[in-house]
Amino acid sequence: MPVVIVVVSLMVGGGLLARELYRVPDPQPDAILALPSSTARPLAQQPGPGSVELTPDAAAHPQHEVIRQLLQAYFDSINSRDYEQWKTTVTKARIQAKSRPAWLQDYRSTKDGSILVYRIDAVSDKDLRVLLGFTSVQDAADAPETLPGASCVRWKLTLPVTVESGHWKVDTVAGYTTPENARC
């Protein structure tokens, strides 16, 4: 009888362990999931919605919701020309590198949308790299130097995100990355 009790106990314990090991994780209900679109919007519908969306790969990262909210506030500040809000989303180094007058000049006609986070990669516990793409429309006179006269630009870049004073912030873009851009 004691042998039967030991065997049954081991089987039940093994079954519970196997159930936990092979359990499918719960879906992330708070993540806005999207896949890259293969169809382009007509120019009149650019830049597209201003909400930050995540691919399933980005949504699998444990910090995905914090990063999505950070980027949402970052792009909202640009779209509403709110320098004070923008300052809450970026590091002190980035604020020092971009004065209010320069920031307002740089983003005076910019409207960003179709924002999609492709990947979130950890560099360390306090540093992430976020691969994202978005569409930007602006006055042709405010086009990037690489695309003179472009009123609509599709961007792909890697944004460094770091913990500063206990909060995730968008850091200065270092020389390790070159943003890709193309006319819409």
Side-chain angles (χ1 to χ4, degrees), residues 74-181:
Y74 176 83
F75 282 103
D76 286 349
S77 68
I78 290 170
N79 287 339
S80 63
R81 316 282 183 279
D82 188 340
Y83 182 75
E84 294 305 313
Q85 180 185 0
W86 178 80
K87 286 182 7 180
T88 68
T89 67
V90 298
T91 60
K92 292 174 186 162
R94 190 141 185 197
I95 294 168
Q96 290 173 349
K98 188 67 75 174
S99 69
R100 179 185 182 90
W103 187 88
L104 289 170
Q105 175 68 26
D106 287 351
Y107 295 110
R108 68 181 173 194
S109 66
T110 300
K111 180 84 170 168
D112 295 328
S114 301
I115 308 154
L116 181 60
V117 177
Y118 292 97
R119 288 186 60 83
I120 302 171
D121 291 320
V123 176
S124 71
D125 291 346
K126 298 184 181 212
D127 290 297
L128 302 172
R129 297 294 178 260
V130 180
L131 176 63
L132 72 137
F134 63 96
T135 300
S136 179
V137 294
Q138 64 278 320
D139 291 341
D142 296 333
E145 292 177 10
T146 55
L147 295 172
S151 61
C152 183
V153 179
R154 286 194 187 90
W155 294 90
K156 274 195 183 173
L157 62 124
T158 301
L159 278 180
V161 177
T162 191
V163 174
E164 185 177 85
S165 302
H167 299 284
W168 289 102
K169 304 282 184 164
V170 177
D171 203 358
T172 56
V173 177
Y176 66 84
T177 182
T178 302
E180 295 177 28
N181 56 23

Side-chain angles (χ1 to χ4, degrees), residues 32-38 53-57 116 118:
I32 300 172
L33 299 179
L35 295 174
S37 175
S38 60
E53 297 180 331
L54 307 168
T55 64
D57 185 44
L116 181 60
Y118 292 97

